Amino acid sequence: KKSAAQNSIIQPDFKFEDMGIGGLDSEFSAIFRRAFASRIFPPNLVEKLGIQHVKGILLFGPPGTGKTLMARQIGKMLNAREPKIVNGPEILNKYVGQSEENIRKLFAEAEKEYKDKGEDSGLHIIIFDELDAICKQRGSKNDGTGVGDSIVNQLLAKMDGVEQLNNILIIGMTNRLDMIDEALLRPGRLEVHMEIGLPDEGGRMQILKIHTSKMRTNNIMDSDVDLNELASLTKNFSGAEINGLVKSASSFAFNRHVKVGTLSGVTPDMENMKVNRNDFLSALD
Ligand code: ATP
């Protein structure tokens, strides 16, 4: 009989390079070893060890570094149900007065499936983006409305309840680790913490390759573009900023081909358009 743990083992044909995420291989391996290794062991071994699966992880680091991409890929890697993504500020603003009810609803589907199917249930992932917004350290620095408090309390209650449920994984994400309520970070809650920092030069090279892969396979990138050079020129860029750079270089290339009057009906000659080194340098500028 399969268990929820076995239903969610790493996909056998899973490859890092197919994920469309650059520069985070070691973070992925580490998170797998620290958070998910128990899920590929036979359930009876896990039982014999007397351990429980990790129920929650926290990804933290600067904006645009791939936390959301990573959270989604973790879901795929674990063969989980389509993750539910909730946004901290949205919960706070949209659901004032009914926040507890909304947290309850988030868990309801997974709880029901576990009740119906027990260990045969699939894995459910709930992703909390901008978690800091709802947990500005209870009691101290919050906004005075107490709304954040009650959401955090409800979340804690749910996470503690999750202990009996093998089929829920919570992924919290934040740019502000210092704002996260410590109670949420304890073992049994968001217990594995992983920093997703800015990419190094090798990482930037991988990200550049990912975001230029279409223009390269379609032969729309000029041979004078040297990705190694761009990787070294983009120090301190996040993955999102590198993505923005590629888009911006494309629009410089477009602009070189758009003549006055084009927008009023003349079709520009895009046949021979290529994005060249200069477009990238203008975009960098
Ligand atoms: P935030 O903290 O602002 O929510 P985030 O860390 O969750 O940001 P993502 O939403 O995952 O960042 O990234 C935004 C976009 O930037 C992605 O959709 C992708 O296009 C690009 N990107 C960011 N990091 C990477 C990466 N490591 N590899 C490839 N693309 C990336």
Side-chain angles (χ1 to χ4, degrees), residues 170-231:
I170 314 280
I171 303 181
M173 300 192 299
T174 183
N175 305 324
R176 294 289 310 271
L177 182 60
D178 59 308
M179 301 275 269
I180 304 296
D181 194 317
E182 271 180 24
L184 270 169
L185 302 178
R186 281 187 210 136
R189 296 170 181 169
L190 303 178
E191 58 189 302
V192 174
H193 312 151
M194 173 66 61
E195 181 169 13
I196 308 294
L198 290 172
D200 61 12
E201 192 166 328
R204 296 196 298 275
M205 182 67 189
Q206 285 182 22
I207 299 171
L208 278 162
K209 278 188 177 158
I210 289 167
H211 289 289
T212 56
S213 76
K214 280 221 167 134
M215 62 170 83
R216 285 183 297 117
T217 41
N218 294 318
N219 203 22
I220 305 179
M221 198 167 87
D222 202 311
S223 56
D224 72 349
V225 180
D226 176 2
L227 293 186
N228 282 304
E229 179 194 29
L230 293 176

Side-chain angles (χ1 to χ4, degrees), residues 20-24 61-70 129-130 173-175 196 199 203 206-207 210-211 238-241 243:
I21 304 181
L24 292 175
T65 46
K67 295 182 289 299
T68 311
L69 287 180
M70 188 154 177
D129 193 9
E130 297 185 66
M173 300 192 299
T174 183
N175 305 324
I196 308 294
Q206 285 182 22
I207 299 171
I210 289 167
H211 289 289
S238 66
E241 285 165 336
N243 186 15

Side-chain angles (χ1 to χ4, degrees), residues 102-120:
N102 280 289
I103 296 279
R104 197 190 61 73
K105 275 192 199 150
L106 269 178
F107 286 77
E109 194 188 330
E111 286 170 346
K112 182 172 182 311
E113 192 178 340
Y114 199 77
K115 219 166 151 191
D116 295 345
K117 299 188 183 166
E119 291 294 303
D120 283 334

Side-chain angles (χ1 to χ4, degrees), residues 30-45:
I31 210 118
F32 171 71
R33 270 185 279 111
R34 287 166 53 195
F36 306 128
S38 69
R39 292 184 183 271
I40 62 168
F41 282 104
N44 63 350
L45 177 63

Side-chain angles (χ1 to χ4, degrees), residues 123-184:
L123 182 69
H124 294 249
I125 296 188
I126 304 172
I127 299 174
F128 283 90
D129 193 9
E130 297 185 66
L131 184 63
D132 46 283
I134 56 170
C135 49
K136 296 183 178 170
Q137 300 183 339
R138 281 174 305 163
S140 54
K141 294 178 221 155
N142 72 13
D143 60 1
T145 63
V147 178
D149 280 7
S150 69
I151 299 178
V152 174
N153 285 332
Q154 178 73 1
L155 198 54
L156 289 175
K158 279 293 175 194
M159 292 214 68
D160 292 341
V162 161
E163 252 170 57
Q164 295 88 44
L165 268 54
N166 257 340
N167 67 335
I168 299 182
L169 174 72
I170 314 280
I171 303 181
M173 300 192 299
T174 183
N175 305 324
R176 294 289 310 271
L177 182 60
D178 59 308
M179 301 275 269
I180 304 296
D181 194 317
E182 271 180 24
L184 270 169

